[in-house]
Amino acid sequence: MSDGLAGDDEGRLASKMDQDFCGTVDVTVPECRKLAQDGQLEEALERLVTLEKQTRTGSDMISTGRVLVAIIELCYECKNYSALNEHLVLMTKRRSQIKQAVTKMVQRAMEFVDEIEDEGTRLKLIDTLRSVTVGKIYVEVERARLTRKLATIKESKGDIADACKIMQDLQVETFGSMEKREKVEFILEQMRLCLANRDFISLQIMSKKISMRFFESEEQSDLKLRFFQMMIAYGQHDKSFLTMCKHYRSVYDTKSVLDDENKRREALQNIVIFVLLAPFDNEQSDLMHRVAGERNLDEIPSYESLLKEFIRNELLDWTYVCNTYEQELRVGTSHPATGSLSGDTEEGRSNWETLRKRVVEHNIRVIAKYYTQIRMARMAQLLSLTLEECEESLSRLVVDKMIYARFDRLDGVVSFKKPADPAELLNDWSRNIGELTSLVNKTCHLINREDMVFALAAAAK
């Protein structure tokens, strides 16, 4: 039967029109609307369903779309939401239904979602629309927008986990018909819900779906800032301070931030703070020197001074750091503090303790640079730590391979001299022997030349 239902039929594109039903539709739709207003909705729907079959079999895409839209509009105007949901399902499952007509119907039905005040009715309509659009590529954008509305409703009820799960089912990066900016907005919404749900693994996976090249355009600066703020929150959870510093640099490089003095200063403050909180390695050291060369750093002189203290190969006393910089870093004197080191939050207190560890690690690296051996008591005195704290800090750096050290507990001596590798010893010995034989050969050559010169001089006499 040509008018039967086909549950797995996704529809077809409009082919060449066999017959033009525009005139018929122009007459029938107003008549059916009049019938519906008079309380004869069922009779009006029957006439429109019959007309829909004729326009569909005649491949009249425009007329079919108009009829489908008219059907759901009559149901909505008569407040017959069950008939609305029923005909949405019925019309999309018609055999060889025209895709463009279905798209028009779905788009019109989506407008009803925002107009319906009753939440239960609205949710039922959203579920119906999501069910009739599932698996249909030509309405994938509409389905995504409906899903986002549903997630918003769930979130407003406090069901963040369900809202997050609903949004994660969308793979908008594969949607060819969706604008790139809208795709990024959807992914950012997915990331926001993952962050709210404390699902940091999914948040990281979602973040990989956005290419950083998209943010190079100044038109996307608002999305760029939203993205990096969420990545900074993820970095704080993961204690990835170096990554957070890079994210703040990306925020700082945004034109809207550079043009705003307060935002620019706050970004710079966070850049300095998190590059100092990051564990020492080659990358951190390189980034620290690049930050020190930033031209706007003189706007925050206290932060600039502290950064240079870490760059210099000199011991840095923690008491001096507290007396000189604590008020500026944690509260703010000349400029407001960022809150990253605030004593009012658990996160700020944790970061401040991490800064203390970085000062100790810096001092141990300085000691290892200038000493080959040192007594543990003297080292603890230089670091202003107890013996136990000094040993723990030293052990941590050795385990992390930041320095080489060996501790003789009996004598209480720490040795920073790294034993030579046997292969390096052999290479040095071979090089020394080569240099020695070269000198001997050169010396012999000079002696022979002198002998020959004197022999010639004697023969001339």
Side-chain angles (χ1 to χ4, degrees), residues 224-377:
K224 176 182 179 181
L225 294 177
R226 284 175 55 193
F227 172 80
F228 282 110
Q229 287 300 329
M230 285 186 280
M231 294 308 297
I232 288 168
Y234 169 72
Q236 182 62 55
H237 165 78
D238 207 37
K239 299 297 182 184
S240 302
F241 297 120
L242 189 62
T243 304
M244 292 178 68
C245 175
K246 293 178 182 177
H247 292 331
Y248 273 115
R249 280 180 65 87
S250 298
V251 171
Y252 172 76
D253 290 335
T254 306
K255 187 176 184 302
S256 60
V257 174
L258 286 173
D259 293 341
D260 188 310
E261 182 181 353
N262 293 328
K263 292 181 179 179
R264 181 177 68 243
R265 184 170 55 245
E266 182 181 357
L268 268 176
Q269 289 172 328
N270 281 310
I271 289 171
V272 173
I273 288 172
F274 288 107
V275 76
L276 296 181
L277 291 179
F280 177 83
D281 57 18
N282 291 335
E283 185 179 9
Q284 187 267 355
S285 177
D286 175 69
L287 185 57
M288 189 163 55
H289 282 80
R290 283 191 281 132
V291 171
E294 182 59 50
R295 59 185 176 86
N296 291 322
L297 202 61
D298 55 359
E299 296 180 5
I300 45 174
S302 296
Y303 291 80
E304 182 181 21
S305 175
L306 179 61
L307 182 61
K308 290 179 178 178
E309 297 277 8
F310 273 86
I311 292 176
R312 282 194 291 266
N313 288 319
E314 298 178 4
L315 292 177
L316 187 56
D317 183 51
W318 176 246
T319 304
Y320 164 76
V321 171
C322 291
N323 294 336
T324 309
Y325 301 107
E326 182 174 9
Q327 185 69 16
E328 179 68 25
L329 294 175
R330 307 191 78 176
V331 181
T333 52
S334 57
H335 302 294
T338 64
S340 300
L341 299 172
S342 172
D344 298 331
T345 64
E346 182 64 31
E347 176 185 303
R349 290 190 291 270
S350 175
N351 289 344
W352 183 255
E353 184 60 30
T354 302
L355 180 63
R356 179 175 180 271
K357 291 180 181 178
R358 298 296 178 252
V359 170
V360 172
E361 292 171 0
H362 166 80
N363 291 337
I364 292 176
R365 290 196 304 274
V366 171
I367 291 173
K369 186 182 291 290
Y370 290 109
Y371 286 83
T372 56
Q373 283 187 334
I374 186 173
R375 291 194 174 276
M376 179 62 78

